[in-house]
Structure formats: C-alpha cells, structure tokens
C-alpha cells in the first residue's frame, strides 16, 4: 500500500511508506486521546473538526523531517500531535473571527453551537497541545512558543490591515508567513530536532517548511481564481466574492491602470464595487483570469516553491527528500 499524502503526494519507497503509514496512524490515535475530556460535551466539541478530516499536512511534514534522524525517536509522534492540535485550535478561533458557517464540509463549531463554545474549545485544544509539549523538553517548548507568537502576530496583522503608506503586498506576505508559514516551519523543525538530526539539517528543514507553507497558501489564492473548484475544494472566486484581499487582487491594485485596456478599467470598477451579485462576480472572475496580475501571482507562488526545493539540495538524497521535493512539484501542478 502506497501512502498518498496531502495534495496527492505519493511515497513509493516501501520503508518510508511503512514508517509514515505507521506514524500517521499513531498520530491519529494520539489526537483522539488528546481531545478526550472527563466532560462528554467537551469531547464532542473538541473532536468536531478532528472527525471532519483534514490533510494532516503538518504531522506529515514532522514525520518526513524525522527521516533525517531517527524516525522512531520517542518525541516524533508527540511533536506531530502538538502541531496538529495547535492548527486545529486556530481553526476554531478563525471561524469565529470570520463568522464562518462551514469548515471541512461540516457546520463550523460556532455555527453548530455558538461563538463562546468555539473559542473555549480552541483554548482547550491549546491547553492539550501544551500538555503534550511539556514532555518534549524546554527547547521544544521554546520553539513552539516562538512559532505561536508569530502565528498570533500574523493574525493581528491581518485584522489590523496594512499601515498607512506601507506596501499591501508585503503586508499580505508577512501575514501568511506568520499565520501559515510559522507552524509549518516548526513542523519541519520539530521533526528533525526530536529525531536527533544535526543542527544544519534542522535549519534547512525549518526554512523549507516556511517556504513550502507560504507556497501552498499562495497556490490557494491562485486556485480561487483559476480553478473550476475541483482542485481547491471550494466554489471558484469565493475569496473574491467575500472581498478577501488575496495575492492576485493585491498585485492588480499595485499595478498601474492601463488606459488602453477597457477590460482592465472594467475589472477595477468591479473590484471596487459589490461582488455579491452573481453576474458581476462572474464577470470579475472572467476578467481577472485573463489579467496579467494572475500570472504574476503564479510566478510569485512558484518562486517560494522553487526556493524550498533548492534548500533540499543541501540534504542527502533519500526517499524522504524525494517526498519533500514532491510537495514542491505539487505546488507547480496546482498553480498551472
């Protein structure tokens, strides 16, 4: 049986396949255990998103990074549990902030219960992540604390918006680096560090995680505009309709208007108005798909993916490195 990870990543090597399959099974079991409470209602709410599924990208990266040391080291699976619990906790809080009604195809916790339950459930998951983390030693605690600070800072930056006179594109990249890149970077770091990899390998896999995490988020931005919905898993142009500023739109606004191009002028007019109307939304989506800003967004996404791949060249050639390279290739496929 070949493990098929997030985004269709295939791991053909039998030994790697077995290690990752067993590791992911152990992570799932530990996640179920970590989300149980003596209070039955808390167990239900804490396992709500866990049971809804998810890519488990962060635990997978922990396990792959651990291949550069001892993948069976006792701290590897708990580290994978810590990063996934942290990620799940942020989703509960994000849904409250975004007033989301659906998460992973199921009603969000705030929609099923209320905002207070969702917030407190997220807090419960953070506390459980901290309990698991405490057994991994002071260095792991420090690494996770620094990543969590970056994650929260990214969320605050997004909420506050860019400062007057600052570059909105750079602000957006800083938000992604904090909200998304930080926890994916710590996934690579924790996996390598707790498996006993050397310091340079730990640094490489940390940087790799930062870049590949940013690349996948930017790929989602491109897919929101360019895809038919099958790849992204959501209706095309959802962010556009909701007025969420993503990379293609931010790059368009940063570009000077083309007075000789009526489509450019019309697109800017549409983006400045209400896209809740289906006709206006469809027109804006069509025009943005043909605008140079979308191609620029693709190139920026690929830049992060290629930087991540280049970092891996410093590591020894092995099945785990090939799998990590496959994630970089997946970004390229997703953005074409």
């Amino acid at each position: 049986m070949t493990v098929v990870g997030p985004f269709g990543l295939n791991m053909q090597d039998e030994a790697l396949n077995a290690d990752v399959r067993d590791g992911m099974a152990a992570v799932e079991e530990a996640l179920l255990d970590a989300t149980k409470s003596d209070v039955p209602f808390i167990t239900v709410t804490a396992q709500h998103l866990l049971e809804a599924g998810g890519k488990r990208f962060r635990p997978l990266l922990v396990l792959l990074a651990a291949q550069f040391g001892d993948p069976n080291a006792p701290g590897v699976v708990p580290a994978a549990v810590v990063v996934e619990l942290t990620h799940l906790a942020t989703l509960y809080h994000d849904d409250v902030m975004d007033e989301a009604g659906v998460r992973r195809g199921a009603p969000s916790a705030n929609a099923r219960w209320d905002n207070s339950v969702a917030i407190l459930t997220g807090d419960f998951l953070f506390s459980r992540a901290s309990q698991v983390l405490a057994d991994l030693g002071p260095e792991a605690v420090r690494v996770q604390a620094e990543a969590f600070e970056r994650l929260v800072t990214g969320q605050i930056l997004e909420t506050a918006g860019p400062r007057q006179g600052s570059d909105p594109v750079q602000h957006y990249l800083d938000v992604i680096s904090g909200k998304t890149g930080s926890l994916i970077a710590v996934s690579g770091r924790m996996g390598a560090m707790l498996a006993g990899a050397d310091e340079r390998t730990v640094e490489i896999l940390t940087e790799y995680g930062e870049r590949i995490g940013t690349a996948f988020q930017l790929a989602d931005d491109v897919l929101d505009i360019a895809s038919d919905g099958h790849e992204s898993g959501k209706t095309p142009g959802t962010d556009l309709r909701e007025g969420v500023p993503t990379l293609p739109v931010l790059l368009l606004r940063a570009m000077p208007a083309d007075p000789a191009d009526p489509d450019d002028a019309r697109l800017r007019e549409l983006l400045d108005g209400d896209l809740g109307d289906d006709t206006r939304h469809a027109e804006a989506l069509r025009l943005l798909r043909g605008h140079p800003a979308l191609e620029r967004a693709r190139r920026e996404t690929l830049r992060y993916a290629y930087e991540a791949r280049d970092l891996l060249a410093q590591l020894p050639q092995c099945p785990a490195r090939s799998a990590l390279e496959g994630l970089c290739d997946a970004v390229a496929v997703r953005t074409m």
Side-chain angles (χ1 to χ4, degrees):
M1 174 183 174
T2 297
V3 170
V4 179
F7 318 108
L9 174 66
N10 290 319
M11 285 172 280
Q12 302 286 351
D13 181 83
E14 290 185 9
L16 177 62
N17 179 67
D19 277 350
V20 172
R21 182 182 64 242
D22 292 347
M24 292 299 284
V27 169
E28 288 297 323
E29 183 178 350
L31 284 170
L32 280 172
D33 187 61
T35 50
K36 289 177 181 175
S37 168
D38 292 337
V39 180
F41 178 66
I42 296 177
T43 301
V44 172
T45 63
Q47 293 185 350
H48 176 64
L49 285 184
L50 189 65
E51 293 172 349
K55 300 181 182 72
R56 304 289 191 263
F57 179 48
R58 291 155 189 81
L60 176 64
L61 184 53
V62 172
L63 298 180
L64 288 175
Q67 291 290 322
F68 294 90
D70 175 8
N72 297 312
V76 172
V77 168
V81 172
V82 167
V83 294
E84 187 65 9
L85 285 175
T86 303
H87 173 59
L88 286 170
T90 65
L91 297 183
Y92 281 86
H93 288 178
D94 281 351
D95 286 345
V96 172
M97 296 179 69
D98 298 340
E99 299 180 348
V102 177
R103 168 71 70 175
R104 296 177 173 175
S108 60
N110 50 299
R112 180 173 173 180
W113 294 288
D114 58 33
N115 284 349
S116 295
V117 169
I119 291 169
L120 292 170
T121 300
D123 292 345
F124 174 79
L125 293 175
F126 281 132
S127 72
R128 285 300 173 88
S130 298
Q131 289 178 38
V132 177
L133 181 65
D135 292 332
L136 298 180
E139 179 64 11
V141 171
R142 183 186 65 79
V143 167
Q144 174 73 359
E146 290 175 353
F148 190 52
E149 179 185 351
R150 287 188 58 209
L151 193 158
V152 173
T153 299
Q155 182 65 71
I156 292 172
L157 285 174
E158 181 180 54
T159 303
R163 295 193 308 273
Q164 185 71 29
S166 67
D167 177 7
V169 174
Q170 186 56 55
H171 174 269
Y172 182 66
L173 293 174
D174 290 342
V175 167
I176 290 176
S177 177
K179 282 190 63 178
T180 303
S182 61
L183 196 55
I184 296 178
V186 88
S187 299
R189 185 176 191 86
M190 287 279 213
M193 182 178 76
L194 291 169
D198 63 83
E199 185 175 345
R200 180 57 183 153
T201 297
V202 172
E203 291 175 357
I204 291 168
L205 289 166
T206 302
E207 289 299 320
Y208 169 86
E210 181 87 30
R211 283 164 175 76
I212 200 65
T214 299
F216 271 111
Q217 180 59 58
L218 295 180
D220 282 348
D221 288 0
V222 172
L223 282 169
D224 184 62
I225 303 301
S227 81
D228 60 7
H230 295 297
E231 174 67 23
S232 64
K234 63 181 182 180
T235 304
T238 297
D239 292 333
L240 190 67
R241 184 187 294 275
E242 295 176 355
V244 177
T246 58
L247 188 63
V249 172
L250 290 170
L251 288 173
L252 183 150
R253 294 190 182 281
M255 298 167 64
D258 184 354
D261 184 358
D263 284 348
D264 180 75
R266 175 58 177 163
L267 177 56
R268 292 170 188 270
E269 176 188 343
L270 289 167
L271 293 176
D272 287 337
D274 180 14
L275 292 179
D277 176 78
D278 288 345
T279 301
R280 288 173 58 86
H281 175 262
E283 183 183 4
L285 190 59
R286 176 181 62 82
L287 292 173
L288 188 51
R289 284 172 172 167
H291 197 279
L294 183 59
E295 182 56 33
R296 290 193 182 185
R298 282 195 176 100
R299 292 201 301 269
E300 184 70 5
T301 302
L302 291 174
R303 179 175 70 82
Y304 280 96
Y306 293 152
E307 286 178 357
R309 205 181 215 285
D310 288 344
L311 284 164
L312 296 175
Q314 303 173 65
L315 298 177
Q317 185 60 62
C318 63
R321 173 178 151 180
S322 297
L324 293 172
E325 289 170 343
L327 287 174
C328 302
D329 296 338
V331 172
V333 171
R334 280 160 60 82
T335 55
M336 290 299 122

